[in-house]
């Protein structure tokens, strides 16, 4: 099946034929390890035996290289076996040596002693072989002759020098030695002028096709052969392993039903597919076998490569393995040629696991420690060093603890929180100094917060005592205090902050950052501090977390503050190259944009961050970002998305005790369910009694407002009034009376309207309008909406139209739908023919928000048309004409028309349908022509006529 191998065997057959004519021959078969030299030699021996020759075989071993005559002993034993096999009356074969000159032969077959004269032994060996050749042609094969002892090589050279008169063929195989220089006598033997040389190259694709076809039930594809050749480098051992992997995979796929799961345990057991070729345990074991054939030095080098992995450099590899750099280069070339290495790394993760898996534990631990030391001395990144320290166990070397702590910080910044936790667990065991150990524990508590936020409280509380005792200070102590604030453990947090706030200038920036956090998250605590925290601005050079906190605090106090918005944008722009390195600042920067009514900008950044976070294991940050995303969806009228996101965040953040982030997610759930009309779901989330500490937080303000909306929607007006008023009292006391946070005045005004006190409602709206214009577009639109409701009906439409324009511009779809609903009612009461199309538009917008309560209120049965606006019976009004022509539109034109009917701009339609703005404009032009209309207003009437009449 292997054409190139068959050609070599044919030429070796010619040598055997030559030797039968009394002209001895010598041949050497060379090639790299496991390329098929032994297979070729065995095939030749089988042919010679079939042809009637006597075959004497020797297999040399590196373990017997230093034992004199060890290979010759195999040769003599083979002769003895041949004599016994052919002995008997009348055989006329070598057994006749037992008669006539039996004593001489017996002496010749006796193993030589180590002190025997080499020339005498060589002559005796020659006599025995010469006697054998008088009866039959003789083939002597020596496999791996480079490992043959020198004494035996002397005997073989003696034979080679006297071949011309013998029917004897000598065939040797020798590998390409990487790390050993062959003995001079071996060169004398192999490179005689009469010797024939055959070099086995790696298998060609043609030979691989033949080999695979003989082993597989179905003829393999050219693509599979190309991949097997690439992965094996043409090495028969590895190629056969890959062919077997493919056969097993094909057999498992042909079995009906689900493929059984792998049950074999151990490293390197997972099968992967690369370009059609399966790579799994059979291949991994073949690689190990190959490495062991190369010798212990090659195995040691492979283990060092596997240990260092991405940190591998030639110098580091040479120092760790103890192999000379020049010799190392030869090994690397060999490993690369066989497809095991890719650059300086093992090509397949499974091979790496298999190499490490067979490494003795003691050797692995020692080499890991040496690798960590060498990497640290060479200035490698701390994470590369710490990876090895994890496998070594607790160490008390002075350099170990800082490396582990720095590696943990980098891991958590990169979003790999579990790995950071593992570094910190080891760090806590490595330090004999209590201060260092406590510092590691504070970082460990911070890591636990990122991994399991709701369960991290005890880790922070456990460090309160050491802080008050002065054993833990600085930033480490402030992290602990901020963790306590998150879990609403305010008394403990204040004790810690007051203890740290001693006027230390070095801590002024850190204390200022904590003050910004308190102003943004727990403003009710600022007045309880024993001494004020430092208050400065956040410089451009400050870290992202401080800038994000400062931006959020400014927006809460001043509305859409341009400087605050710029600070928030700066946090995002600085995180584009490495978003997870600024995780702690991202949620607060998003909130700043949200409270500044920059909903579109915030949504864009949220989508980028959420997509980037998918590949990182940082549940705490992901949940915080998701909860802010839920708030954004709520304010943009995507109520179902808000519920889904808030539920995800709440599941990750909530636990047996309340915390500030889980409370925010819960309030979004309550407000979204209320807007959707799911009042039972909202009530379920409000069933648990909140702790009093919650009402010292910004999340507590959201809670009061959301609960007030629920009470108002379910008819509990006085409970709603109490919630809105309490919310307003706290916001005024904390100087964060911004309607974008919680529009409590608007909520209270709605309550007074329900109670029939229009004057009280009007005073609240006037108060809201007299506040300085803070650039809050959405909030302004909501205020105008409520203002219109306290006006006479005739004055309402222009105010409501202004409110709608502001809300539409800000992306607040649910509030915009509510404005259109009230505008349609105003038109109806005034007898304006725009009442019905406005109601339809409001219904479509509310439907897209999944605000079922609002949709029900807008159904036609709840809005009877006046006779003046209803078309005469039997006539075809403009709505009916539009409805008829709407059916003539193509599917793509109809999609564009319906989105335009919902109030989407051309750019938004293009983004939703994944087409260009120009295509949208072309579709709309054709729609106008087919429907016989001139503008979007008429399109809205016609499109809504179709959808609305089907309700």
């Amino acid at each position: 099946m292997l054409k190139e191998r068959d050609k070599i065997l044919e030429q070796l057959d010619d040598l055997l034929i030559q030797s039968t004519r009394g002209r001895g021959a010598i041949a050497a078969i060379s090639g790299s390890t496991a390329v098929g030299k032994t297979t070729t030699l065995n095939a030749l021996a089988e042919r010679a035996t079939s042809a009637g020759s006597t075959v004497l075989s020797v297999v040399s071993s590196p373990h017997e290289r230093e034992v004199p005559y060890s290979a010759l002993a195999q040769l003599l034993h083979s002769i003895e076996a041949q004599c016994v096999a052919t002995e008997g009356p009348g055989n006329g074969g070598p057994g006749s040596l037992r008669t006539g000159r039996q004593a001489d032969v017996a002496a010749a077959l006796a193993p030589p002693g180590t002190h025997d004269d080499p020339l005498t032994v060589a002559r005796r060996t020659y006599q025995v072989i010469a006697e054998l050749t008088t009866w039959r042609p003789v083939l002597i094969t020596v496999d791996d002759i480079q490992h043959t002892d020198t004494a035996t090589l002397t005997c073989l050279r003696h034979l080679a020098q006297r071949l011309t008169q013998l029917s004897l063929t000598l065939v040797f195989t020798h590998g390409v030695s990487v790390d050993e220089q062959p003995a001079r006598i071996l060169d004398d033997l192999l490179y005689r002028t009469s010797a024939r040389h055959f070099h086995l190259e790696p298998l060609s694709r043609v030979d691989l096709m033949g080999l695979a076809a003989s082993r597989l039930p179905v003829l393999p594809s050219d693509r599979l052969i190309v991949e097997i050749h690439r992965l094996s480098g043409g090495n028969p051992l590895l190629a056969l392993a890959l062919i077997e992997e493919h056969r097993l995979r094909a057999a498992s796929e042909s079995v009906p039903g689900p493929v059984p799961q792998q049950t074999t345990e151990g490293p390197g057991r997972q099968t992967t597919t690369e370009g059609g070729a399966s790579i799994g345990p059979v291949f991994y074991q073949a690689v190990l076998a190959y490495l062991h054939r190369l010798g212990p030095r090659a195995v040691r080098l492979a283990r060092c490569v596997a240990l260092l992995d991405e940190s591998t450099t030639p110098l580091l590899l040479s120092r760790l393995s103890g192999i000379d750099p020049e010799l190392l280069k030869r090994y690397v070339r060999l490993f690369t040629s066989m497809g095991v290495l890719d650059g300086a790394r093992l090509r397949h993760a499974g091979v790496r696991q298999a190499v490490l898996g067979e490494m003795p534990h003691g050797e692995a631990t020692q080499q890991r420690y040496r690798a960590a030391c060498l990497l640290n001395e060479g200035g490698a990144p701390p994470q590369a060093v710490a990876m090895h320290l994890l496998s070594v166990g607790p160490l008390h070397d002075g350099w170990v603890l800082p490396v582990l702590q720095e590696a943990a910080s980098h891991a958590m910044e990169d979003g790999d929180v579990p790995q950071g936790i593992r570094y910190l667990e080891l760090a806590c065991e490595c330090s004999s100094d209590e201060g260092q150990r406590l510092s590691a524990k504070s970082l460990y508590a911070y890591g636990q917060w990122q991994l399991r936020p709701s369960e991290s409280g005890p880790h922070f509380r456990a460090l309160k005592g050491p802080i008050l005792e002065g054993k833990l200070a600085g930033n480490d102590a402030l992290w602990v205090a901020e963790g306590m604030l998150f879990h609403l453990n305010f008394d403990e947090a204040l004790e810690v902050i007051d203890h740290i706030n001693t006027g230390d200038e070095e801590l002024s920036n850190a204390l200022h950052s904590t003050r910004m956090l308190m102003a943004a998250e727990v403003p009710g605590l600022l007045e309880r501090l024993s001494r004020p925290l430092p208050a400065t601005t956040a410089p451009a050079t400050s870290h992202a977390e401080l800038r994000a906190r400062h931006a959020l605090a400014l927006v809460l106090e001043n509305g859409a503050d341009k400087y605050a918005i710029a600070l928030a944008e700066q946090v995002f722009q600085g995180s584009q190259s490495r978003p997870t390195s600024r995780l702690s600042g991202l949620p607060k920067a998003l909130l700043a944009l949200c409270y500044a009514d920059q909903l579109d900008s915030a949504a864009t950044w949220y989508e980028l961050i959420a997509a980037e976070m998918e590949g990182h294991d940082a549940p705490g940050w992901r949940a915080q970002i998701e909860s802010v995303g839920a708030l954004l969806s709520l304010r943009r009228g995507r109520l179902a998305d808000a519920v889904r996101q808030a539920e995800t965040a709440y599941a990750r953040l909530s636990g047996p005790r309340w915390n500030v982030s889980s409370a925010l997610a819960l309030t979004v759930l309550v407000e979204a369910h209320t807007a959707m009309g799911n009042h039972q779901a909202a009530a379920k989330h409000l069933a648990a009694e909140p702790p009093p500490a919650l009402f010292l937080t910004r999340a507590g303000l959201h809670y009061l407002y959301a609960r007030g909306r629920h009470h108002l929607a379910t008819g509990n007006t006085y409970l709603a009034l109490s919630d809105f008023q309490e919310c307003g009292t706290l916001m005024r006391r904390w100087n964060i009376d911004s309607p974008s946070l919680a529009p409590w005045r608007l909520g209270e005004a709605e309550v007074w309207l329900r109670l029939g006190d229009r004057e009280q409602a009007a005073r609240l709206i006037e108060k809201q309008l007299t506040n300085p214009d803070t650039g809050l577009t959405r909030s302004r639109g909501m205020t105008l909406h409520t203002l219109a409701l306290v006006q006479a009906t005739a004055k309402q439409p222009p105010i409501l139209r202004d409110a709608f324009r502001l809300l539409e511009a800000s992306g607040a779809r649910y509030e915009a739908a509510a404005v259109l609903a009230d505008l349609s009612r105003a038109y109806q009461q005034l007898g304006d023919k725009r009442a019905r199309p406005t109601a339809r538009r409001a219904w479509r917008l509310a439907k897209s928000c999944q605000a079922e309560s609002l949709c029900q209120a807008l159904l036609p049965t709840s809005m009877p048309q006046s006779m003046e606006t209803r078309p005469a019976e039997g006539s075809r009004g403009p709505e009916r004409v539009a409805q008829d022509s709407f059916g003539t539109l193509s599917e793509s034109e109809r999609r564009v028309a319906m989105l335009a009917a919902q109030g989407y701009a051309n750019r938004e339609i293009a983004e939703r349908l994944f087409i260009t703005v120009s295509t949208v404009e072309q579709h709309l032009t054709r729609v106008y022509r087919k429907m016989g209309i001139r503008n979007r207003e008429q399109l809205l009437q016609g499109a809504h006529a179709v959808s609305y009449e089907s309700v």
Side-chain angles (χ1 to χ4, degrees):
M1 290 298 177
L2 304 180
K3 295 181 180 179
E4 295 180 10
R5 300 299 196 269
D6 288 343
K7 290 179 183 178
I8 293 175
L9 282 173
E10 289 173 2
Q11 295 179 61
L12 289 170
D13 279 341
D14 292 340
L15 292 181
L16 291 177
I17 294 171
Q18 175 184 322
S19 70
T20 62
R21 297 169 182 167
R23 292 181 297 172
I26 182 171
I29 304 173
S30 61
S32 61
T33 301
V35 79
K37 300 185 298 296
T38 301
T39 302
T40 303
L41 193 64
N42 291 339
L44 177 65
E46 289 179 6
R47 292 188 180 206
T49 301
S50 299
S53 297
T54 298
V55 178
L56 307 176
S57 298
V58 175
V59 178
S60 298
S61 167
H63 304 295
E64 298 179 348
R65 184 184 302 154
E66 303 303 325
V67 180
Y69 300 115
S70 56
L72 182 60
Q74 289 187 56
L75 183 64
L76 297 177
H77 178 75
S78 183
I79 295 172
E80 177 70 19
Q82 289 287 341
C83 290
V84 172
T86 58
E87 190 177 25
N91 282 346
S96 63
L97 291 172
R98 297 281 182 178
T99 61
R101 295 191 295 168
Q102 185 174 0
D104 291 340
V105 174
L109 292 177
T114 56
H115 299 292
D116 289 354
D117 176 50
L119 182 58
T120 302
V121 175
R123 287 171 177 171
R124 266 188 1 230
T125 303
Y126 172 77
Q127 290 171 3
V128 172
I129 301 300
E131 185 67 25
L132 286 175
T133 61
T134 61
W135 300 97
R136 289 183 186 176
V138 176
L139 168 65
I140 296 178
T141 66
V142 183
D143 198 10
D144 284 337
I145 195 171
Q146 71 273 14
H147 299 317
T148 303
D149 62 277
T150 304
T152 301
L153 289 175
T154 301
C155 297
L156 293 174
R157 183 178 62 178
H158 191 79
L159 276 173
Q161 290 169 342
R162 292 159 178 80
L163 280 177
T164 54
Q165 303 303 319
L166 299 177
S167 296
L168 173 66
T169 305
L170 298 176
V171 181
F172 313 130
T173 67
H174 68 96
V176 178
S177 179
V178 177
D179 56 352
E180 296 177 353
Q181 293 297 324
R184 180 53 185 263
I185 190 172
L186 181 61
D187 288 340
D188 292 343
L189 179 62
L190 294 177
Y191 298 105
R192 303 183 63 78
T193 55
S194 59
R196 294 285 303 277
H197 292 273
F198 303 94
H199 185 74
L200 293 184
E201 298 289 346
L203 297 179
S204 66
R205 292 181 184 175
V206 174
D207 277 346
L208 268 179
M209 175 62 81
L211 185 63
S214 68
R215 302 294 181 106
L216 297 175
V218 180
L219 187 67
S221 65
D222 291 338
R223 178 170 175 261
L224 176 63
I225 295 303
V226 168
E227 284 305 311
I228 290 177
H229 189 269
R230 182 179 68 85
L231 294 170
S232 67
N235 185 283
L237 176 66
L238 303 183
L240 283 170
L242 290 168
I243 292 170
E244 179 64 11
E245 294 276 14
H246 184 78
R247 187 190 69 79
L248 292 173
R249 179 186 171 206
S252 67
E253 290 177 350
S254 65
V255 177
V259 178
Q261 296 293 319
Q262 286 272 3
T263 57
T264 307
E265 297 180 356
R269 301 299 183 189
Q270 183 65 39
T271 299
T272 59
T273 303
E274 186 170 325
S278 299
I279 306 170
V282 178
F283 177 73
Y284 303 147
Q285 292 305 314
V287 172
L288 292 179
Y290 179 91
L291 293 172
H292 282 283
R293 288 192 188 184
L294 290 175
R297 192 172 290 177
V299 172
R300 183 169 75 253
L301 178 61
R303 289 173 177 175
C304 291
V305 172
L307 279 172
L308 291 172
D309 198 26
E310 295 181 357
S311 304
T312 304
T313 64
L315 177 60
L316 188 60
L317 195 56
S318 176
R319 293 184 65 186
L320 183 61
S321 65
I323 299 176
D324 176 81
E326 288 302 318
L327 179 59
L328 181 70
K329 289 180 182 178
R330 294 200 291 271
Y331 269 117
V332 168
R333 283 196 295 269
L334 176 62
F335 286 2
T336 302
S337 67
M338 63 173 282
V340 172
L341 284 186
D342 181 8
R345 297 180 61 194
L346 289 173
R347 189 171 192 173
H348 306 290
V351 171
R352 179 173 181 266
Q353 293 172 8
V355 169
L356 294 177
E358 71 158 12
M359 197 172 181
H361 178 72
E363 179 186 345
T365 301
Q366 182 181 8
Q367 288 291 73
R368 288 280 192 190
Y369 175 71
R370 291 192 64 235
C373 292
L374 291 172
L375 286 166
N376 186 59
E377 291 171 6
Q383 283 177 274
V385 182
M387 282 292 296
H388 297 287
L389 294 176
L390 285 176
S391 302
V392 177
L395 297 169
H396 298 291
D397 298 16
W399 58 272
V400 170
L401 186 62
V403 166
L404 288 171
Q405 287 182 300
E406 190 173 354
S409 296
H410 282 294
M412 288 189 284
E413 285 179 355
D414 290 337
D416 192 355
V417 178
Q419 187 70 1
I421 291 292
R422 286 192 282 273
Y423 293 146
L424 290 170
E425 288 173 342
L426 180 59
C428 291
E429 299 178 29
C430 286
S431 175
S432 55
D433 179 79
E434 186 176 13
Q436 291 180 331
R437 185 167 58 254
L438 288 170
S439 177
K441 284 187 174 181
S442 72
L443 190 56
Y444 178 77
Y446 179 67
Q448 286 291 344
W449 176 87
Q450 294 186 51
L451 190 64
R452 288 177 287 272
S454 63
E455 301 173 14
S456 61
H459 296 289
F460 292 111
R461 291 196 298 272
L463 293 171
K464 173 190 169 185
I467 293 174
L468 298 182
E469 292 169 10
K471 297 177 181 177
L472 185 66
N475 285 322
D476 294 336
L478 281 175
W479 283 344
V480 173
E482 292 181 3
M484 293 174 174
L485 292 175
F486 174 83
H487 287 285
L488 308 182
N489 298 320
F490 294 151
D491 292 338
E492 293 90 341
L494 288 173
E495 281 188 76
V496 170
I497 294 171
D498 286 335
H499 178 78
I500 299 171
N501 187 20
T502 57
D504 189 342
E505 291 185 3
E506 293 183 3
L507 278 176
S508 60
N509 282 338
L511 287 167
H512 172 61
S513 181
T514 300
R515 182 186 184 281
M516 289 294 99
L517 175 68
M518 294 178 69
E521 295 285 357
V522 285
L525 278 188
L526 288 174
E527 59 191 26
R528 291 176 54 183
L529 289 167
S530 62
R531 63 175 66 85
L533 291 173
T536 60
T537 59
T541 56
S542 61
H543 58 79
E545 170 71 7
L546 176 55
R547 278 176 278 149
R549 292 178 179 183
H550 192 66
L552 179 54
L554 282 176
V555 167
L556 291 176
E557 186 175 349
N558 302 324
D561 184 276
K562 292 184 180 179
Y563 175 65
I565 293 172
L567 273 181
E569 294 279 359
Q570 192 180 53
V571 172
F572 296 121
Q573 292 163 0
S575 65
Q576 281 182 287
S577 59
R578 193 179 172 204
T580 51
S581 67
R582 296 169 175 81
L583 281 175
S584 58
L586 296 178
K588 295 175 183 60
L590 276 175
L591 277 171
L593 293 181
C594 181
Y595 291 139
D597 284 351
Q598 307 292 306
L599 300 184
D600 287 342
S601 176
T604 300
W605 284 116
Y606 165 77
E607 289 170 3
L608 291 173
I609 295 165
E612 188 68 28
M613 287 291 290
E614 284 299 320
H616 301 282
D617 195 356
W621 292 127
R622 289 179 66 177
Q624 286 220 338
I625 289 171
E626 195 74 1
S627 67
V628 180
L631 182 63
L632 281 169
S633 294
L634 173 67
R635 297 194 170 194
R636 298 175 71 213
R638 289 161 168 77
L639 302 181
D641 288 344
V643 168
R644 175 183 53 80
Q645 292 168 300
E647 285 177 343
T648 300
Y650 187 71
R652 290 174 177 165
L653 291 165
S654 64
R657 300 182 55 150
W658 290 61
N659 59 66
V660 292
S661 294
S662 67
L664 176 62
L666 183 141
T667 62
V668 172
L669 282 170
V670 171
E671 196 169 346
H673 279 304
T674 299
M676 295 172 73
N678 302 330
H679 301 309
Q680 288 185 347
K684 182 179 177 181
H685 290 296
L686 290 169
E689 185 69 22
L694 179 66
F695 301 108
L696 295 172
T697 70
R698 172 176 49 80
L701 301 175
H702 280 284
Y703 184 90
L704 288 169
Y705 181 76
R707 190 171 67 180
R709 298 300 314 175
H710 170 70
H711 287 324
L712 187 61
T714 53
N716 297 312
T717 50
Y718 287 102
L719 289 177
L721 181 63
S722 175
D723 281 336
F724 291 138
Q725 288 179 338
E726 178 63 20
C727 182
T729 299
L730 294 176
M731 291 176 70
R732 290 195 302 272
R733 179 190 303 168
W734 300 338
N735 195 31
I736 53 174
D737 190 9
S738 171
S740 67
L741 172 57
W744 64 272
R745 288 188 180 86
L746 306 185
E748 186 179 345
E750 286 187 58
V751 172
W752 289 118
L753 284 173
R754 292 276 186 93
L755 295 174
D757 193 338
R758 187 179 294 269
E759 292 183 4
Q760 180 65 22
R763 282 195 291 270
L764 286 164
I765 302 306
E766 288 172 7
K767 173 61 178 174
Q768 185 66 62
L769 290 171
T770 56
N771 286 341
D773 185 4
T774 53
L776 298 172
T777 307
R778 172 178 173 272
S779 302
R780 179 75 176 178
M782 293 172 66
T783 303
L784 290 177
H785 180 196
T786 313
L787 172 65
L789 299 182
V790 300
Q791 305 295 318
T793 304
K795 296 182 179 180
Q796 288 183 7
I799 302 175
L800 289 172
R801 286 194 293 268
D802 287 344
F804 176 76
R805 279 193 291 270
L806 289 172
L807 291 169
E808 185 181 39
S810 67
R813 296 162 59 205
Y814 173 74
E815 288 78 9
V819 169
L820 287 178
D822 284 330
L823 180 58
S824 69
R825 292 189 183 95
Y827 282 151
Q828 181 187 4
Q829 292 172 12
L830 296 172
D832 194 315
K833 64 180 181 180
R834 289 175 288 181
R836 191 170 182 82
T838 303
R840 290 169 180 156
R841 188 178 182 188
W843 186 90
R844 289 297 302 172
L845 199 52
K847 191 68 176 177
S848 70
C849 297
Q850 294 185 284
E852 293 301 326
S853 294
L854 188 54
C855 287
Q856 290 296 321
L858 285 165
L859 286 175
T861 55
S862 64
M863 271 195 61
Q865 270 189 314
S866 63
M867 293 300 294
E868 291 78 11
T869 61
R870 190 176 301 157
E873 188 169 346
S875 67
R876 297 177 75 240
E879 290 178 359
R880 177 56 57 190
V881 173
Q883 184 176 357
D884 292 343
S885 59
F886 197 82
T888 65
L889 302 180
S890 68
E891 184 178 350
S892 58
E893 290 167 351
R894 187 174 301 184
R895 283 198 299 267
V896 171
M898 291 307 296
L899 288 173
Q902 295 176 35
Y904 288 102
N906 289 358
R907 178 181 58 81
E908 294 174 316
I909 296 173
E911 291 175 354
R912 280 177 165 263
L913 298 181
F914 302 101
I915 58 179
T916 64
V917 175
S918 175
T919 302
V920 173
E921 293 170 349
Q922 293 171 19
H923 280 328
L924 285 175
T925 300
R926 288 194 291 270
V927 167
Y928 294 162
R929 184 177 66 251
K930 290 180 179 180
M931 295 183 68
I933 58 178
R934 294 189 301 275
N935 52 43
R936 183 174 287 226
E937 182 64 29
Q938 292 176 315
L939 169 65
L940 295 178
Q941 295 178 22
H944 284 312
V946 177
S947 59
Y948 196 70
E949 292 296 339
S950 64
V951 177

